[in-house]
Amino acid sequence: MTEPTDYSKILETIAACKDVSKLNNYIENATKKDVPIVRDAALRQLGSLTPKYDPGTLEYDFWKTIKAYELVLREDDKTTVNLFRTRKQAETDGIEQTLSEWVLDKSHAWVFNALVEIGKSDMTGEGVVLKHKERFEEAVVEAATERLNVNSPSMDD
């Protein structure tokens, strides 16, 4: 019987990494080698690299979600053209309007499912809406809640 692999050093390296290219490489390699603990750590770290906004703000969480969606799309060799449009819409119409439309029309459903499957529902547009529900209309919050099908205290904070 083999000993479980100790990933503590690579996880520490990833936690301190600020290089987007290196983080993308960690994600790609961990995905190829089927090491979810490393992939998820790199995904979280990449998502946290949003220096223009303070952590915990709607803006920060929105851009972190966009990065997560782009990573999932890239991992599956899909285009990120729609997210380019989403970025532009956020700049012109505002983040609240963009997320509201995203949640109500269930945009990017397969990426949403991929993030939920790996336990990253907080990185979905719906997760962001629930975290900042005071900034959204009731119908949007209800749609996000229904789609995630959760009443997690972490989403309500």
Side-chain angles (χ1 to χ4, degrees), residues 72-90:
V72 171
L73 288 167
R74 269 190 240 121
E75 283 178 4
D76 204 39
D77 292 326
K78 300 252 192 275
T79 180
T80 58
V81 170
N82 287 339
L83 288 178
F84 175 76
R85 289 184 198 125
T86 300
R87 286 173 175 274
K88 287 293 185 196
Q89 182 184 7

Side-chain angles (χ1 to χ4, degrees), residues 99-101 103-105 126 129-130 133 136-147:
L99 275 174
S100 294
E101 290 177 19
V103 168
L104 292 173
D105 74 4
E126 289 75 4
V129 165
L130 293 181
K133 61 185 173 187
F136 294 91
E137 293 180 10
E138 188 175 328
V140 176
V141 173
E142 287 174 8
T145 302
E146 182 180 322
R147 188 154 185 212

Side-chain angles (χ1 to χ4, degrees), residues 107-154:
S107 293
H108 310 287
W110 77 268
V111 179
F112 168 88
N113 291 335
L115 288 169
V116 169
E117 283 175 21
I118 62 169
K120 304 294 176 210
S121 60
D122 62 317
M123 294 180 94
T124 65
E126 289 75 4
V128 174
V129 165
L130 293 181
K131 183 175 180 185
H132 302 280
K133 61 185 173 187
E134 71 283 352
R135 300 210 21 205
F136 294 91
E137 293 180 10
E138 188 175 328
V140 176
V141 173
E142 287 174 8
T145 302
E146 182 180 322
R147 188 154 185 212
L148 283 173
N149 196 23
V150 295
N151 291 315
S152 169
S154 63

Side-chain angles (χ1 to χ4, degrees), residues 63-76:
W63 292 111
K64 187 168 112 174
T65 293
I66 293 299
K67 288 180 182 184
Y69 273 59
E70 287 174 337
L71 280 172
V72 171
L73 288 167
R74 269 190 240 121
E75 283 178 4
D76 204 39

